[in-house]
Amino acid sequence: MPSRKALVRRPGPRLTEGLLTHLERTPVDAGLALAQWESYTAALREHGWETTEVAPADDCPDAVFVEDPVVMFRDVALIARSGAASRRPETAAVEEALSALGCRIERVTGPGTLDGGDVLKVGDTVYAGQGGRTNAEGLRQLRAAFEPLGARVVAVPVSRALHLKSAVTALPDGTVIGYAPLVDDPSLFPRFLSVPEEGGSHVVLLGDGKLLLAASAPRSADVFAGLGLEPVPVDIGEFEKLEGCVTCLSVRLRDLRA
Ligand SMILES: NC(=O)NCCC[C@H](N)C(=O)O
C-alpha cells in the first residue's frame, strides 16, 4: 500500500524577500500568504495526505518552497544542493524530517547543484531539467543515486522558466503538460499536452484522478475536467508572485517503508 504523507514547511518571517529570477518584484502580503498556505495544506489533508511540517528555517526567505531541497525516489531522499547559494541552509531540517520518517539519505555534493523543482518523475522515468539551478554535475549525481534503483534519467534543457517543473508536470496517465511558451523542447516527451495558462502546467496528483492546481488557471482546469479528471483549485497567488507554484509547496512521500 503506497504511503500518503507530504512534507510541508510553514512560510517564514522573511518570505517577502524570496528570490526572483523571471518576475519583477510586486508586494507580497505575508498574512494572505499564510492563509493561502493553510488552505493549501488543508486541501492535501482533505484528499487523504497526512502532512508533516519541516522545522522552520526562519533566515531563509524561500524555505516554504520545500520541494527544492530534496528529490525522492522510492524511499531514498537525495538532499539537493541549490544553484542559489542562499537556499542551501534549507536542507538541514528537511534531511532530519526525512530521516525520522525512515528514508535513506543521499546528498548532492559540490560542485554539483540541483533543485528539487528541476526533477519530474513519470513512473520510473526521471526528467531532470538542466538550467539556472541544476548543473551537469548535479545531474550526474542524480543518475548515480537513482539509476541503480531502476530510474531512467532523461536530461531536459530549461532556459525559459526557473525550474523544469515551473514549465511542465504530468497527468496521472503520464501525459506531460506544459504552457508552450515556457517549454524548450516538447518533443522530448513521448506525449505532450499544451495548456492555455502558465499556472495550468503545474499539477499535484492527489490520487483518484484528482489534481491540485492553482486557481489562476481556470481554463486549464476545464481542459482537465474534460479529460475526466477532477481539478481541485487552490489560491496560491502570493506564492506565484515569488515564482512558486503548487508543486513546490510540498513533497509527497509515496514509497515509505512501513
Ligand atoms: N520548485 C519551485 O518551483 N520552487 C519555486 C522557488 C521560488 C523561489 N523564489 C526561488 O527562486 O527559489
Side-chain angles (χ1 to χ4, degrees), residues 124-146:
D124 285 344
T125 302
V126 176
Y127 293 103
Q130 194 177 341
R133 295 280 175 89
T134 297
N135 66 13
E137 173 59 15
L139 233 80
R140 192 195 65 72
Q141 294 183 31
L142 179 80
R143 285 184 202 284
F146 293 154

Side-chain angles (χ1 to χ4, degrees), residues 19 62 65 67-68 87 117 133 162-163 166 242-243 248:
L19 292 173
D62 287 303
F65 302 116
E67 159 178 79
D68 292 318
R87 298 205 56 187
R133 295 280 175 89
L162 177 61
H163 288 125
S166 316
L242 295 166
E243 301 186 12
C248 50

